Amino acid sequence: MLSAALLLLCAAACFASPLEGLLWSRLSEEQAESLGEDATAERAVKLMSPAQKEEVRSGLSYLERSEEFDTLKEAGRGYLLLVYAGDAARVAAKLRELEPTDPRGHALAAQSAYARGDYAEAAKFARGALLLDKKDGSMKVLLRLAQGKMGRSSGRGASVTPKRERRSLRAT
């Protein structure tokens, strides 16, 4: 039987990304066949049993040990796909530490906070990502969604973003 580290190396060599290799290596033959040619990581995760997802999570922990930005980004994406938002937040912190001016670490932190239901933190990190990449449409959407959730949960119903910030977001 192959060690987990060797399996990850083999999977990474055969697929477009280490995450895809890890996901496909955990699928049964029937699951892989049902995906067909238009297979995506999202569709693969939907087919997985809880036990398979835990195996992938274990493999992602190996990726998370890397100091390479792109490998860490893949681990964070995998954790989000598997709905392990706390693990994704941990990877986001490491990404922000490695490259504080790269918006992808801030974006991952925003996505993981939103998935955990921490809308104030999601808005904070989405703003940080937008400061570094003003054209990131997904962060604009996530920021508005988080603000909407914060408005509902605080009972105000209105946007909690200051007027000056709303104007700057519209301008981008």
Side-chain angles (χ1 to χ4, degrees), residues 84-162:
Y84 293 119
D87 293 335
R90 187 178 57 245
V91 172
K94 193 170 180 181
L95 288 171
R96 291 189 326 274
E97 184 180 306
L98 282 174
E99 294 287 336
T101 59
D102 192 303
R104 294 173 293 180
H106 299 273
L108 180 61
Q111 292 166 326
S112 66
Y114 191 88
R116 290 187 326 270
D118 188 343
Y119 305 117
E121 186 170 314
K124 177 184 94 172
F125 284 117
R127 283 186 201 100
L130 285 167
L131 286 174
L132 297 167
D133 181 4
K134 293 175 180 14
K135 296 180 181 182
D136 187 341
S138 65
M139 282 299 103
K140 289 178 184 179
V141 169
L142 192 137
L143 176 59
R144 294 206 187 265
L145 289 171
Q147 289 171 333
K149 295 278 188 174
M150 288 181 343
R152 263 189 256 135
S153 65
S154 68
R156 287 185 257 169
S159 174
V160 294
T161 305

